Amino acid sequence: RVSVLRVNSSLCTLPDGRIVNFTEKIEPPYFYARDICAFNVETEKFELIPHPENRAIRLLAPRRDGGIWVQTLAGNDVFRYRFETYDGEKFTSIPELNFEGESNIGYVYQILERANGDVWFSGGSIGLYSNGKFRNLHTTGEFPSEYGFYSVQEIDGDKLWFGTANRIVEFDGKN
């Protein structure tokens, strides 16, 4: 089996200290990862962790509790996905973040979990998962952009910056 470590911003650590990223199969029909690649710092060995449902893995992001957020696809369709968490032992699906058959925020580039527990998604739109509910802020007109949002960064602990193709949008929690 041939896999390659993907170079991107999905490098994270697990609660047990392993460093994770995801792998991609080189041969078609799979163009997205089928495994998480974990490096054990103590043993200096790599381990491939497959998704239990053989779902494709497209994006990883750190969680406040030390686990990771995982965007998974049922196939290669990047617009039909769900978000799950992985704690180093098991994957847990988040029902409110299952976008396999309904409108979503499009292609997702980055996930940011803030200290207050809010989870922000930047992509074709901006998504916010807060208090067990998901909102697409682009469709409500709160974050207009004709090109999408490629990144999200927390600034000074209370502001967020979103990068678009031609500008940076600052959000202070209200505006």
Side-chain angles (χ1 to χ4, degrees), residues 27-41:
E27 69 274 359
Y30 302 112
F31 299 104
Y32 290 99
R34 293 291 167 183
D35 302 298
I36 291 177
C37 182
F39 179 72
N40 187 319
V41 179

Side-chain angles (χ1 to χ4, degrees), residues 8-27:
N8 63 18
S9 60
S10 289
L11 199 61
C12 303
T13 57
L14 293 172
D16 63 9
R18 288 181 291 169
I19 301 169
V20 296
N21 202 330
F22 55 88
T23 61
E24 290 183 319
K25 281 185 123 177
I26 295 173
E27 69 274 359

Side-chain angles (χ1 to χ4, degrees), residues 121-137:
F121 303 88
S122 64
S125 180
I126 294 292
L128 170 61
Y129 178 62
S130 180
N131 299 316
K133 295 184 179 170
F134 178 81
R135 287 186 348 193
N136 181 332
L137 300 178

